[in-house]
């Protein structure tokens, strides 16, 4: 079975050799630039899509390499600082998990039978999720 590489235009980050950090373009993701970071202490690898602060992406070609390197260097320094302090790289909060779930369910809304959920069903799910999230937060707990 042929296996296609997800790594194009790999460039090692300066200072990242020991920790195995590099940028690359992923042809399966439209050629977007990614940062690969291996945390040697925990032996976990992380991949991040490189994005500017305005939400845009570097040019998905070899021409966008310099911009991607700059963004990756900033992100790498932040990641190394976090790991040196012992902080977790990726933390998923309950609120973020609920938000992602609701976004996914909202995309399933359809008026065609058996091809998704109805707007009323989504409204019910959203209300139940919001209620559950409020019950889990200690600040909204009323002991009375």
């Amino acid at each position: 079975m042929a296996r296609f590489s997800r790594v194009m235009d790999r460039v090692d980050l300066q200072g990242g050799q020991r920790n195995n950090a590099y940028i690359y373009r992923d042809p399966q993701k439209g050629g977007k630039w990614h940062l690969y970071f291996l945390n040697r202490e925990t032996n976990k690898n992380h991949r991040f899509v490189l994005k500017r602060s305005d939400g845009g992406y570097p040019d998905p070609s070899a021409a966008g390499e310099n911009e991607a390197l700059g963004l990756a260097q900033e992100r790498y320094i932040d990641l190394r600082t976090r790991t040196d302090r012992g902080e977790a790289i990726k933390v998923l909060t309950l609120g973020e998990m609920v938000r992602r779930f609701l976004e996914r369910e909202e995309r399933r809304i359809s008026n065609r039978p058996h091809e998704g959920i109805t707007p009323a069903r989504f409204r019910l799910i959203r209300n139940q999720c919001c209620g559950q999230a409020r019950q889990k937060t200690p600040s909204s707990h009323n002991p009375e």
Side-chain angles (χ1 to χ4, degrees):
M1 171 183 351
R3 192 172 155 103
F4 298 102
S5 175
R6 293 184 66 170
V7 177
M8 282 183 6
D9 301 332
R10 176 186 166 152
V11 179
D12 288 323
L13 284 182
Q14 185 178 11
Q17 199 73 317
R18 186 183 123 249
N19 297 307
N20 202 7
Y22 58 86
I23 63 169
Y24 66 96
R25 287 190 314 125
D26 188 347
Q28 296 177 7
K29 305 280 185 181
K32 290 181 181 167
W33 286 97
H34 291 70
L35 167 66
Y36 174 85
F37 170 68
L38 175 65
N39 185 354
R40 296 266 186 216
E41 288 81 25
T42 60
N43 209 26
K44 290 187 178 182
N45 59 347
H46 305 279
R47 288 181 174 86
F48 301 96
V49 176
L50 295 174
K51 234 197 261 196
R52 293 188 295 264
S53 57
D54 65 358
Y57 300 99
D59 186 21
S61 67
E65 182 179 314
N66 286 336
E67 183 182 3
L69 270 172
L71 292 169
Q73 199 68 39
E74 289 175 24
R75 188 74 187 258
Y76 174 71
I77 290 170
D78 178 49
L79 293 173
R80 283 301 309 158
T81 305
R82 281 181 171 179
T83 56
D84 289 346
R85 287 191 306 232
E87 294 180 20
I89 299 287
K90 293 182 181 176
V91 178
L92 185 61
T93 63
L94 178 64
E96 177 68 17
M97 195 179 331
V98 168
R99 187 187 63 75
R100 287 182 185 182
F101 172 73
L102 289 175
E103 285 175 357
R104 190 176 67 231
E105 290 299 299
E106 189 171 22
R107 287 192 300 266
R108 292 183 52 213
I109 294 175
S110 173
N111 291 326
R112 300 167 106 188
H114 306 291
E115 291 203 9
I117 62 174
T118 64
R121 174 68 180 154
F122 173 72
R123 190 172 48 252
L124 176 66
I125 292 171
R126 184 185 61 217
N127 291 339
Q128 288 176 339
C129 285
C130 291
Q132 289 295 323
R134 277 193 297 269
Q135 288 177 1
K136 299 287 185 202
T137 57
S139 60
S140 65
H141 178 66
N142 190 357
E144 296 178 78

